[in-house]
Amino acid sequence: MSDHHGYSEQDVQREVTELQAQSATAARIFDLRRIIGGLFVVYGVIVTIAGINPSDATLDKAEGVNINLWTGLGMLLLGIFFLVWLKLRPTPPPPPPTAEPEEKPGE
């Protein structure tokens, strides 16, 4: 008895495998460590630059502590930590597609 729905089991399996590969690729692209690390590096650079030449008013507000410089350096270090972590432990690649043994008719 043959199946006439337009999709064979092999077609469905192939589509599932493609979707799994696409979702693994999307997971790698949108890995939160990359996003968080990138944002912290960018903002860390901006805040550090703002802290390099502090005004007297800014220092008075922070009771003599160059808060922008220290916060910026901290953000920069945290961002670098996330990016190094991503580099050392990357998202695992998608599993290679496994060839399903084809069923013989009559089984």
Side-chain angles (χ1 to χ4, degrees):
M1 184 174 222
S2 63
D3 198 9
H4 291 292
H5 291 293
Y7 281 110
S8 72
E9 198 173 311
Q10 196 175 7
D11 289 339
V12 172
Q13 183 64 39
R14 187 180 317 118
E15 199 166 313
V16 166
T17 306
E18 285 173 12
L19 284 172
Q20 285 173 339
Q22 286 172 357
S23 97
T25 303
R28 236 186 354 268
I29 291 171
F30 295 108
D31 190 332
L32 279 179
R33 294 174 295 180
R34 175 176 290 145
I35 295 168
I36 292 170
L39 285 174
F40 268 105
V41 166
V42 168
Y43 288 123
V45 166
I46 292 169
V47 175
T48 303
I49 289 171
I52 287 174
N53 241 345
S55 68
D56 290 338
T58 307
L59 285 177
D60 286 345
K61 252 192 264 182
E63 297 178 7
V65 177
N66 190 346
I67 198 84
N68 282 341
L69 183 64
W70 291 112
T71 306
L73 290 174
M75 291 170 75
L76 205 51
L77 288 174
L78 186 64
I80 290 169
F81 164 77
F82 271 98
L83 295 177
V84 167
W85 179 21
L86 179 67
K87 195 78 170 161
L88 295 178
R89 290 198 171 273
T91 309
T98 54
E100 291 288 319
E102 291 184 28
E103 290 183 23
K104 294 179 186 154
E107 283 188 10

